[in-house]
């Protein structure tokens, strides 16, 4: 006699472990290690889910579970609406080698009826789900992470070599607000590396040209333009409404100004710099225990020891890589994922095609972020550096 659906479910329930909703709630409140997996369809999940659960629809379970739950010895609890789909899913995970699998019985419908805590995912539009679909597949991003990106505000200092790739990838990723600070206009000599601009825009303010490119790439993004040089008079006004600073400036006076303002305003700075064939990136985040720029360089070098790209030249593709790494760091900070370059300096030598990493330590005698700071107000950096 052929096996019926009822027979199949009965047999499955004999071979899997089940757990009550009361026990799941207890584990959540006790913060016990547990991977909650919602195997309902996406439309069901969008109406509400158990806090902390990851969404893996039953139809995609075998394809996606090893990516989203790589540890096959982790305690995994699956749930659906009533307990049937999760039971079948639990059997599949056991067959895949997962050793600690349980199925919730009953499911989310009863959880909701009991008035237990639940969350609803951010309400992305259909167009946004399509645009950011590859992000939504990543458990480290998903709809919650994408909503964080859309709500984030990132300020780019410079719309040139480093600012161009950083702006393009941040805009493509869905960063909701991008600020551009640059007082310069597009020049033909910029086009060898500043890919946000075009021949047809020579003579146009860089912030205007940058806005055109960003808006064309992603109309979700709001562009805030600051067609002005960063100074001690405007730095706090410009920094105030942004979460993260991406520093692509090319002179020491501005770097020290950026550092001091960011320390006092508790803003993380993703710093990048390039010279000829070499680049480097680090993230300064003293509020998280890392060093600041002055921990590395308490005072700037004399001008003749620090030639600009205009004087020394730069390989056109170099800022593309460095700016992209900066964008990656900024996105990680927004998502709260991975290990940012706090206390680490990533170096890149394009001629030898070699990456290196240097450990950076917080200076206890730092004049700005140390316990006994000696610099407590903005300095006349132009005069300080003997430039201009």
């Amino acid at each position: 006699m052929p096996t019926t659906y009822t027979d199949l479910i009965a047999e499955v329930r004999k071979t899997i472990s089940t757990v009550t909703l009361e026990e799941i709630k207890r584990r959540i409140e006790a913060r016990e290690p547990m991977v909650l997996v919602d195997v309902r369809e996406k439309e069901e999940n969008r109406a509400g889910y158990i806090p902390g659960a990851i969404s893996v629809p039953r139809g995609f379970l075998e394809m996606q579970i090893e990516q989203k739950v790589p540890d096959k010895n982790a305690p995994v609890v699956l749930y659906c609406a009533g307990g049937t789909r999760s039971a079948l899913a639990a059997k599949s995970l056991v067959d895949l080698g997962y050793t600690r699998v349980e199925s919730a019985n009953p499911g989310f419908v009863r959880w909701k009826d009991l008035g237990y805590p639940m969350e609803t995912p951010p309400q992305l539009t259909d167009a946004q789900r399509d645009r950011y679909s590859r992000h939504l597949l990543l458990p480290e991003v998903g709809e919650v992470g994408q909503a964080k990106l859309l709500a984030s505000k990132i300020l780019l200092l410079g719309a040139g070599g480093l600012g161009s790739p950083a702006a393009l990838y941040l805009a493509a990723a869905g960063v909701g607000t991008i600020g551009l600070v640059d007082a310069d206009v597009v020049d033909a000599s910029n086009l060898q590396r500043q890919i946000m601009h075009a021949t047809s825009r020579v003579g146009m303010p860089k912030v205007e040209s940058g806005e055109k490119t960003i808006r064309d790439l992603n109309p979700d993004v709001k562009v805030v333009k600051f067609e002005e040089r960063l100074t001690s008079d405007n730095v706090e006004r410009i920094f105030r409404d942004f979460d993260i600073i991406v520093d692509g400036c090319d002179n020491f006076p501005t770097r020290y100004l950026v550092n001091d303002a960011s320390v006092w305003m508790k803003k993380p700075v993703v710093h990048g710099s390039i010279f000829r064939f070499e680049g480097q990136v680090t993230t300064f985040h003293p509020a998280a225990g890392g060093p600041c720029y002055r921990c590395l360089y308490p005072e700037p070098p004399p001008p003749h020891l620090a030639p600009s790209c205009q004087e020394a030249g730069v390989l056109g593709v170099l800022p593309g890589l460095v700016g992209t790494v900066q964008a990656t760091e900024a996105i990680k900070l927004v998502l709260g994922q991975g290990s940012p370059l706090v206390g680490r300096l990533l170096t890149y030598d394009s001629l030898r095609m070699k990456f290196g990493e240097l450990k950076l330590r917080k200076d206890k005698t730092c004049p700005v972020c140390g316990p006994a700071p000696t610099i407590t107000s903005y300095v006349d950096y132009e005069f300080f550096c003997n430039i201009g």
Side-chain angles (χ1 to χ4, degrees):
M1 187 177 195
T3 300
T4 66
Y5 172 76
T6 303
D7 295 334
L8 175 64
I9 295 300
E11 187 63 31
V12 166
R13 292 192 187 282
K14 291 179 183 178
T15 62
I16 64 167
S17 299
T18 60
V19 60
T20 65
L21 299 179
E22 292 75 16
E23 173 61 14
I24 293 175
K25 182 172 180 287
R26 186 199 68 77
R27 293 179 191 176
I28 292 174
E29 292 171 345
R31 299 183 182 275
E32 293 184 10
M34 175 178 60
V35 182
L36 265 175
V37 181
D38 184 342
V39 300
R40 298 174 300 156
E41 297 301 313
K42 285 289 186 182
E43 291 74 17
E44 297 174 276
N45 178 268
R46 291 185 185 117
Y49 58 89
I50 299 176
I54 61 174
S55 174
V56 188
R58 177 67 190 91
F60 295 94
L61 184 76
E62 289 81 3
M63 289 186 289
Q64 296 183 1
I65 193 65
E66 290 179 325
Q67 178 189 7
K68 296 193 175 185
V69 187
D71 182 3
K72 293 193 173 183
N73 294 314
V76 179
V77 174
L78 305 109
Y79 72 89
C80 60
T84 300
R85 282 175 289 175
S86 62
L88 293 168
K91 177 65 166 58
S92 294
L93 291 200
V94 171
D95 292 343
L96 287 172
Y98 285 83
T99 61
R100 301 170 65 189
V101 182
E102 295 173 302
S103 172
N105 189 21
F108 184 78
V109 172
R110 181 60 179 161
W111 179 279
K112 184 178 179 180
D113 290 343
L114 290 169
Y116 288 172
M118 55 179 282
E119 294 179 352
T120 55
Q123 298 304 306
L124 302 180
T125 66
D126 290 341
Q128 288 173 329
R129 289 196 186 95
D130 185 38
R131 177 181 287 270
Y132 308 119
S133 61
R134 301 306 187 272
H135 269 177
L136 304 186
L137 293 173
L138 297 171
E140 296 83 358
V141 183
E143 293 192 7
V144 172
Q146 190 60 54
K148 289 181 181 179
L149 289 169
L150 289 165
S152 66
K153 298 179 179 180
I154 297 179
L155 182 68
L156 302 181
L157 304 181
L162 296 177
S164 288
L168 291 174
Y169 274 107
L170 291 174
V175 168
T177 301
I178 292 177
L180 298 177
V181 183
D182 203 309
D184 204 359
V185 299
V186 179
D187 184 83
S189 66
N190 302 148
L191 303 179
Q192 164 250 17
R193 64 201 177 281
Q194 299 182 18
I195 58 173
M196 191 158 54
H197 311 300
T199 302
S200 61
R201 299 180 198 161
V202 169
M204 180 184 290
K206 287 185 178 179
V207 294
E208 296 282 351
S209 173
E211 181 185 37
K212 283 181 175 290
T213 301
I214 290 170
R215 295 288 297 169
D216 189 50
L217 176 62
N218 189 351
D220 278 348
V221 180
K222 176 185 177 182
V223 179
V224 181
K225 297 171 292 183
F226 300 94
E227 192 181 346
E228 53 190 304
R229 293 184 59 218
L230 198 68
T231 69
S232 58
D233 294 327
N234 64 19
V235 63
E236 292 194 357
R237 168 176 58 83
I238 291 174
F239 279 19
R240 183 175 55 234
D241 296 329
F242 292 89
D243 310 312
I244 298 167
I245 314 300
V246 175
D247 178 12
C249 64
D250 61 358
N251 64 84
F252 282 100
T254 306
R255 288 174 185 166
Y256 283 90
L257 175 61
V258 169
N259 176 77
D260 299 352
S262 65
V263 171
W264 296 330
M265 298 178 75
K266 294 181 170 55
K267 307 273 187 181
V269 174
V270 182
H271 169 78
S273 61
I274 52 176
F275 181 71
R276 290 172 56 79
F277 298 93
E278 299 177 359
Q280 58 185 32
V281 182
T282 188
T283 295
F284 295 116
H285 199 351
C292 77
Y293 189 77
R294 284 191 188 269
C295 290
L296 276 67
Y297 313 109
E299 295 185 358
H304 69 277
L305 294 181
S308 67
C309 291
Q310 185 175 357
E311 298 166 316
V314 62
L315 184 67
V317 298
L318 178 65
L321 187 146
V322 174
T324 301
V325 173
Q326 287 182 277
T328 306
E329 282 289 284
I331 289 171
K332 285 161 52 185
L333 289 173
V334 171
L335 297 176
Q337 295 288 345
S339 300
L341 288 168
V342 176
R344 297 183 293 143
L345 180 70
L346 181 71
T347 64
Y348 172 60
D349 182 338
S350 64
L351 286 182
R352 297 195 301 160
M353 195 52 70
K354 291 192 68 174
F355 288 89
E357 184 178 299
L358 302 174
K359 190 172 183 63
L360 307 180
R361 290 181 171 81
K362 194 175 179 71
D363 184 358
K364 295 180 180 179
T365 64
C366 177
V368 170
C369 76
T374 57
I375 297 176
T376 56
S377 61
Y378 297 115
V379 180
D380 184 347
Y381 290 89
E382 297 288 349
F383 175 78
F384 184 52
C385 296
N386 287 323
I387 295 178

